[in-house]
Amino acid sequence: MGREAQAPRRGRRGLANFRVAPRFRVARGRWRMPRAKTSVVAAVARAARGVLIASGGELAACIGAGLEGIARVVGAASIVVVRAGQPPLVRWPDGGAAGADDARLLDGLQGADADWIDSVEGGPGPCLVVPFTEQADRRGAIVLHFAPSAPRPPREVDDALELFGDLIGQALIREASVRTLGERERRYRTLADAAFEAIVIHRDRRIVDVNESACDLFGYARDQLLGTAVPGRYVAPDFVELVEGYIAAGYEGSYELDLLRSDGERIPVVARGRMVDRGERPTRVVALRDVRAERENAAQLFEVGERMRALLETAFEGFVVSRRGFVLDANEGFARMCGYTLPEVIGMTPGDVTTEEGARTILQNILAKVHEPYVVTGVRKDGSQFPMEIQGSECFYRGELVRITGFRDLTETVRKQEEQRRLEERMRQAQKLESLGMLAGGVAHDFNNLLVSVLGNADLALQDMDRDAPLAARLRHIRSAAVRASELTGQMLSYAGESRFEPQDVRLDRVASEMAELMRSSLAAGVRLELEAPPPESRVYGDATQIGQVVLNLLTNASEALGAAG
């Protein structure tokens, strides 16, 4: 205890320079203080000066350096700064011996005064415990360990160390506050930079902070934006007066404007400002949202809507939007189909454009949510009726559930179907005639073969008898009848289209008369054939059979055109 300790000399940011001070000396078990008070106060003052100017991570080092100087002055073997629920803040010497559990000493402290403990379990000797308050619910202490035979230091040492303990507690509170503020600032900066909207903070019309989105929006680095004036070069000239008026009025609503990027590009944005400080130096926070994509999407949607409207308006079919059976909207095709103007069809019901039966069918299908097409009878404005096909489906239109229905006029479809039916009927008739012709041709061939035998035998019999014989006249009648029968078979072959082309002078009156007689048997009951034959001298050069076929086709087509009624 009689040796003197040399305190380390520190710079301006640590302990102040001080001269060598003697330790307290022990005489007959009591402390004597030759210049002791002055030395302790000076050591504490130097330590306090280092703690006050400490910043960031320097606090623990400055506390350790100050306690080292105090320990050398008061003769402590080691010093530990402990906190409840925390590891030791400072231990001197570094890694030196101390009590078994210095933190447990806090449990036995009473009040805020220093306490001398003669012996500590597991410790080298007595200790002086100087408590301090770090927070309302957390305490700490400066624990000075002494040699086993060391007496208690004077009360002046307690007072000086209690002041230093209070200083440590305040420094720890300050460091925690700075750390909390730093954490909040980092969290704010992270949130601000992660925001999709650009954020600009300005005071006295000078930018004091921006986030990363604002830098990307304006095309400048953060350092290039800070300190510059607003609206300045960042707002399009035709919007400067508007922005200045909103800033002067402290307007906190939304408004639209165009910004100017660093490359001169105009960017449409939606801005919303808010005053966060109503004092002498108000601060304004402005959020800017780039609406280029929104405007492009809106333009595309508008274009699509206009294109769909044009398609619907020019469509031949009708489209109707209805709710509870009443027309909310329609296209020109529906109005034109029913003979109305577009304003006239708004508000109509199914009963206005269909028959009563058709209206009941439509309402039943609306209630049943039928999506398959069906046909009803439509009624135009002039009272004329027409077949109308309907198909509907439910969907949302302007925020409410409606039914979209398509209407199609089937008049042309029905006409084409009827024409197709007639063509098919004519085809069947042609097939029948063809079959009949084939039958007639076969019969004619067989009959003609029989006639050949009759004519041959008649000619042979006439050659074997005299011309004036009684039987000769009868044979000549038989031959004449056979010749007429042969001509009839020729007509039948002409009807069947199997005769050969043999051009000659043909009397039209004879051909017309023969075909008329042949056709009378196949005419409908209500059809009457009247023949006005040309004069006998009317002749043409051609094949009689082919000419007869032409006349036969004309008579057949005329008969079919007249129908069964004649």
Side-chain angles (χ1 to χ4, degrees):
M1 297 283 300
R3 294 177 300 175
E4 295 182 350
Q6 176 70 39
R9 297 185 179 274
R10 306 281 295 201
R12 294 181 61 185
R13 290 185 58 80
L15 296 174
N17 295 326
F18 59 92
R19 61 184 178 82
V20 176
R23 288 189 178 183
F24 292 98
R25 300 180 183 278
V26 180
R28 298 181 182 179
R30 295 182 61 85
W31 284 88
R32 292 190 301 170
M33 296 179 59
R35 293 178 297 175
K37 181 176 180 180
T38 302
S39 300
V40 171
V41 172
V44 170
R46 295 187 186 95
R49 193 159 48 245
V51 171
L52 288 174
I53 63 175
S55 62
E58 297 179 352
L59 179 61
C62 291
I63 293 175
L67 290 177
E68 179 183 355
I70 294 173
R72 293 183 183 279
V73 172
V74 302
S78 64
I79 297 180
V80 180
V81 178
V82 296
R83 294 180 295 170
Q86 299 288 328
L89 178 64
V90 175
R91 184 187 296 277
W92 178 85
D94 189 17
D101 190 354
D102 293 312
R104 294 178 56 186
L105 297 174
L106 294 173
D107 299 335
L109 292 178
Q110 300 293 332
D113 297 334
D115 190 11
W116 174 264
I117 301 176
D118 292 326
S119 63
V120 179
E121 182 178 357
C127 63
L128 179 64
V129 182
V130 182
F132 61 84
T133 301
E134 180 181 349
Q135 294 180 8
D137 55 348
R138 181 183 298 174
R139 302 185 66 195
I142 304 173
V143 182
L144 292 84
H145 292 275
F146 292 89
S149 60
R152 189 188 193 290
R155 295 294 180 183
E156 290 79 356
V157 175
D158 296 0
D159 295 339
L161 290 176
E162 287 173 1
L163 291 175
F164 189 63
D166 293 340
L167 184 62
I168 291 176
Q170 294 175 9
L172 291 174
I173 293 173
R174 184 183 71 244
E175 185 184 46
S177 299
V178 172
R179 188 166 54 251
T180 300
L181 290 175
E183 181 64 28
R184 289 180 179 177
E185 183 177 359
R186 284 191 297 273
R187 188 161 55 246
Y188 152 75
R189 173 58 59 186
T190 300
L191 291 174
D193 289 340
F196 292 104
E197 293 184 345
I199 299 176
V200 178
I201 303 176
H202 61 87
R203 184 186 301 119
D204 297 334
R205 300 200 177 188
R206 293 283 177 178
I207 297 177
V208 297
D209 202 359
V210 293
N211 66 345
E212 290 294 335
S213 297
C215 297
D216 296 337
L217 181 63
F218 289 106
Y220 293 99
R222 185 170 182 269
D223 294 340
Q224 294 176 305
L225 293 172
L226 297 182
T228 57
V230 292
R233 58 186 177 182
Y234 309 115
V235 176
D238 45 336
F239 287 93
V240 170
E241 184 177 355
L242 173 69
V243 173
E244 289 181 345
Y246 282 150
I247 294 176
Y251 180 66
E252 296 190 352
S254 299
Y255 55 95
E256 296 184 359
L257 71 151
D258 286 355
L259 299 180
L260 289 179
R261 280 179 53 85
S262 58
D263 56 5
E265 179 186 0
R266 291 175 69 108
I267 303 176
V269 298
V270 173
R272 183 177 181 86
R274 176 167 296 180
M275 305 302 296
V276 296
D277 184 4
R278 299 291 184 174
E280 296 180 356
R281 300 185 63 190
T283 301
R284 185 174 177 84
V285 179
V286 181
L288 303 170
R289 179 164 54 88
D290 187 349
V291 295
R292 284 178 294 181
E294 295 180 12
R295 290 191 177 181
E296 291 177 0
N297 293 337
Q300 293 176 359
L301 289 175
F302 180 78
E303 182 180 354
V304 170
E306 289 298 310
R307 187 161 59 248
M308 292 302 297
R309 168 62 67 177
L311 290 174
L312 290 177
E313 292 298 338
T314 57
F316 293 103
E317 297 184 351
F319 292 94
V320 167
V321 180
S322 62
R323 182 169 61 89
R324 299 177 182 176
F326 291 90
V327 176
L328 299 178
D329 199 0
N331 70 335
E332 289 287 350
F334 177 76
R336 185 170 53 250
M337 181 190 306
C338 298
Y340 294 92
T341 62
L342 187 58
E344 287 177 332
V345 301
I346 305 301
M348 282 188 173
T349 62
D352 297 323
V353 293
T354 60
T355 61
E356 293 183 3
E357 182 180 357
R360 286 194 299 269
T361 302
I362 294 175
L363 292 176
Q364 290 173 359
N365 290 338
I366 290 176
L367 294 177
K369 296 183 178 180
V370 175
H371 297 164
E372 292 76 17
Y374 56 95
V375 178
V376 298
T377 301
V379 179
R380 297 187 179 91
K381 185 177 181 180
D382 58 5
S384 60
Q385 297 184 355
F386 63 99
M388 182 167 57
E389 184 183 50
I390 300 176
Q391 185 174 13
S393 179
E394 290 73 24
C395 69
F396 281 94
Y397 175 77
R398 294 179 181 176
E400 56 184 353
L401 184 63
V402 298
R403 186 174 177 88
I404 306 295
T405 308
F407 294 82
R408 189 158 63 97
D409 186 352
L410 297 181
T411 301
E412 186 65 19
T413 302
V414 171
R415 186 191 66 78
K416 290 181 179 180
Q417 291 175 351
E418 183 64 24
E419 182 179 354
Q420 180 68 22
R421 187 190 63 78
R422 289 197 301 269
L423 290 175
E424 292 175 355
E425 183 64 24
R426 292 181 61 182
M427 182 65 68
R428 284 192 295 269
Q429 292 295 332
Q431 291 174 351
K432 289 180 181 180
L433 292 174
E434 183 180 1
S435 300
L436 182 59
M438 293 177 63
L439 178 61
V443 172
H445 278 293
D446 294 339
F447 189 62
N448 195 43
N449 292 333
L450 295 175
L451 291 176
V452 170
S453 176
V454 172
L455 287 173
N457 289 318
D459 289 337
L460 291 174
L462 287 173
Q463 291 177 2
D464 292 338
M465 65 178 59
D466 294 334
R467 182 177 182 83
D468 295 332
L471 292 178
R474 293 182 180 179
L475 288 173
R476 283 192 292 270
H477 284 298
I478 292 174
R479 187 180 184 282
S480 178
V483 171
R484 286 195 299 270
S486 178
E487 291 177 353
L488 180 60
T489 57
Q491 292 176 3
M492 293 177 64
L493 289 173
S494 177
Y495 179 78
E498 297 184 7
S499 61
R500 291 177 295 177
F501 181 73
E502 297 179 357
Q504 58 183 345
D505 288 336
V506 180
R507 288 179 56 181
L508 294 179
D509 59 330
R510 181 178 296 178
V511 173
S513 299
E514 291 175 354
M515 293 297 105
E517 291 297 327
L518 183 62
M519 189 65 189
R520 290 184 193 277
S521 60
S522 62
L523 294 176
V527 177
R528 185 176 71 258
L529 177 60
E530 295 181 358
L531 177 62
E532 294 182 1
E537 61 271 14
S538 299
R539 297 172 181 267
V540 294
Y541 183 76
D543 183 77
T545 303
Q546 296 293 332
I547 295 173
Q549 186 67 41
V550 171
V551 174
L552 183 63
N553 290 339
L554 292 174
L555 293 175
T556 302
N557 292 337
S559 175
E560 292 180 356
L562 291 174

